Amino acid sequence: MEKIVKIEEEVADQKDAFITLPVKIEGGAESRESISIASSLKTEKEFDSAVGAGYLSAVDPVDKITSLKTLGPFIASKDNTRNTRYLSDVPEICRRETCMLGVDEAGRGPVLGPMVYGIAYCPLSSKEILTELGCADSKELTEEKRDVIFNNINTQYNAKTSIGWAVEIISPNVISNNMLGRKKCSLNEMSINAAIDLIHSAVEAGVNIAEVYVDTVGPPEKYQEKLKKIFPQFQITVAKKADSTFPIVSAASICAKVTRDHSLKVWQFPEGLKLTSEDFGSGYPGDPVTRKFLSENVDYIFGFPRIVRFSWSTAENVLNERASVVEFDEPDSEKPKYAGIKLTKFFQSTTKAGELKREQCRLLKERFLDNVVDF
């Protein structure tokens, strides 16, 4: 049995304004613990943590991100074992006027959680809006500042009518399968493919792109050459530290980073674990909370929950110490041996001189008889 509880959450910039968040109590109407949790939530961060722990879930899946408040519920409504792509509405001005587009990622190095690729775009004539919003390298901004900028991009009139964005959330489960599968795909390949797919998505959505700026993966020259072959109609710049050089790349970086942060906050474990992001930390190998989570949540047979990237050496080391050794039979690399006669035996062959070679029939060969042609 489910119980619907209305939670009023104060809007940070308007003290007297409230929004109502309907949530589903997973424990049912008699679950006093869940009702107490729902009634006591005061901030969006607390709401996200409760969703991630599995106590609460959105009643109606959110299919559109219109502010920071809708980001967490949208992500929570998706299957986190698969990739998720989201494209914002395209501002009308981005269809009419030529635009610049930036590409960047977040979460490349962590052992936990998804890697998120993001793009942002705006008209060349409106690029000053990026500076007004405070777009800078997301790694140099505090989490609170990134959240404010992301929210402003989606709620301020001047911003949302000039800037569009999109993200690709690459599941840790997909990363592990690609890197450890029989047909391997490196993280660099996944990164480049995600960037290309997002640019294609923007083009298909009707964005009038003229310039593209990308934070590089690997050698920038090779990456730029590859993109120019795929998108010859654009002026493309691939550079190191592009997120700190080009404001449009900074905007993409902020969208990617905020999306990854909230993906972790609302993470729901298919394995049934009741944990929040405070229990597993930032996901980076150097984080002591993350290392503690890895050592305490490894199954002897099945390994880690699917939030973990099994392909990371940090995870592999823990598995070697605490999990069972598993050996897989590799397919025989030798060519199969056939017991019967090969099909090619039935085709006639010739000598170097062009003479037809005829093999003696089995009846004569078994009786040591020869064909006689001269008498």
Side-chain angles (χ1 to χ4, degrees):
M1 182 176 180
E2 297 175 354
K3 181 177 180 63
I4 305 303
V5 178
K6 298 292 184 181
I7 303 174
E8 291 185 339
E9 181 183 3
E10 186 175 352
V11 179
D13 55 349
Q14 299 178 10
K15 292 184 179 180
D16 297 329
F18 290 86
I19 63 169
T20 301
L21 293 174
V23 297
K24 180 174 66 177
I25 305 302
E26 297 291 0
E30 298 180 358
S31 176
R32 295 185 179 181
E33 179 186 13
S34 295
I35 295 174
S36 175
I37 289 172
S39 303
S40 65
L41 297 180
K42 295 291 188 295
T43 67
E44 183 186 356
K45 184 177 291 187
E46 292 176 0
F47 175 78
D48 283 349
S49 296
V51 171
Y55 292 115
L56 308 176
S57 65
V59 174
D60 299 317
V62 176
D63 58 2
K64 191 173 182 180
I65 300 171
T66 56
S67 67
L68 182 67
K69 297 181 186 300
T70 54
L71 177 61
F74 171 84
I75 297 171
S77 69
K78 305 301 178 183
D79 181 357
N80 59 29
T81 65
R82 299 174 179 271
N83 291 355
T84 297
R85 183 183 301 169
Y86 178 80
L87 282 79
S88 72
D89 291 338
V90 179
E92 191 58 38
I93 193 173
C94 294
R95 300 178 187 273
R96 297 194 314 266
E97 297 187 14
T98 55
C99 296
M100 57 181 174
L101 180 147
V103 183
D104 200 8
E105 52 79 25
R108 182 178 174 82
V111 66
L112 301 183
M115 177 174 69
V116 179
Y117 252 80
I119 62 170
Y121 52 86
C122 75
L124 293 168
S125 61
S126 305
K127 58 185 178 182
E128 67 279 353
I129 190 69
L130 299 169
T131 305
E132 293 171 6
L133 287 168
C135 291
D137 181 5
S138 67
K139 301 177 187 67
E140 300 297 325
L141 299 171
T142 63
E143 180 180 349
E144 290 74 17
K145 184 62 175 174
R146 289 193 298 266
D147 284 352
V148 169
I149 295 174
F150 179 85
N151 191 59
N152 290 342
I153 288 174
N154 289 278
T155 57
Q156 286 187 0
Y157 179 79
N158 288 344
K160 69 180 183 180
T161 55
S162 301
I163 302 173
W165 59 279
V167 289
E168 175 93 9
I169 305 174
I170 305 174
S171 167
N173 187 55
V174 172
I175 293 173
S176 298
N177 289 341
N178 279 332
M179 295 184 70
L180 297 176
R182 196 172 299 283
K183 187 179 180 182
K184 300 188 187 312
C185 180
S186 70
L187 195 66
N188 279 2
E189 290 178 277
M190 283 184 269
S191 299
I192 294 172
N193 290 339
I196 292 170
D197 289 345
L198 284 172
I199 297 172
H200 273 305
S201 297
V203 172
E204 292 168 3
V207 182
N208 185 10
I209 302 170
E211 301 175 6
V212 176
Y213 299 89
V214 184
D215 193 44
T216 191
V217 173
E221 299 79 14
K222 289 184 179 180
Y223 194 0
Q224 183 167 304
E225 184 181 356
K226 182 180 181 71
L227 290 178
K228 282 185 175 180
K229 287 181 179 178
I230 300 172
F231 304 105
Q233 70 274 35
F234 303 148
Q235 178 184 322
I236 297 176
T237 302
V238 179
K240 295 180 180 178
K241 302 293 183 183
D243 48 351
S244 59
T245 306
F246 305 104
I248 193 65
V249 180
S250 301
S253 178
I254 289 168
C255 291
K257 182 64 175 171
V258 172
T259 301
R260 174 178 154 80
D261 289 345
H262 283 259
S263 295
L264 291 176
K265 288 177 184 177
V266 300
W267 188 271
Q268 298 178 65
F269 289 86
E271 299 82 7
L273 298 176
K274 301 295 183 182
L275 300 173
T276 70
S277 58
E278 295 179 357
D279 298 313
F280 51 77
S282 65
Y284 283 89
D287 186 340
V289 179
T290 298
R291 300 183 77 89
K292 184 172 182 285
F293 167 82
L294 290 173
S295 63
E296 293 179 352
N297 290 276
V298 56
D299 186 273
Y300 183 72
I301 301 297
F302 299 105
F304 294 111
R306 279 178 282 188
I307 190 175
V308 179
R309 302 179 189 177
F310 282 67
S311 48
W312 258 235
S313 60
T314 307
E316 187 178 347
N317 292 338
V318 177
L319 288 175
N320 289 337
E321 293 175 4
R322 298 175 176 267
S324 173
V325 177
V326 180
E327 294 182 0
F328 295 94
D329 291 333
E330 292 294 332
D332 191 356
S333 60
E334 296 181 3
K335 293 182 179 180
K337 297 178 180 178
Y338 299 99
I341 300 174
K342 292 184 179 180
L343 185 63
T344 53
K345 280 283 187 182
F346 295 93
F347 293 93
Q348 294 179 335
S349 59
T350 60
T351 64
K352 291 183 179 180
E355 298 175 354
L356 191 63
K357 293 188 342 184
R358 296 183 183 277
E359 190 171 338
Q360 191 178 36
C361 76
R362 192 177 61 183
L363 177 66
L364 297 179
K365 187 183 292 185
E366 289 176 351
R367 289 162 176 74
F368 303 97
L369 298 174
D370 292 325
N371 290 330
V372 177
V373 293
D374 295 325
F375 297 94

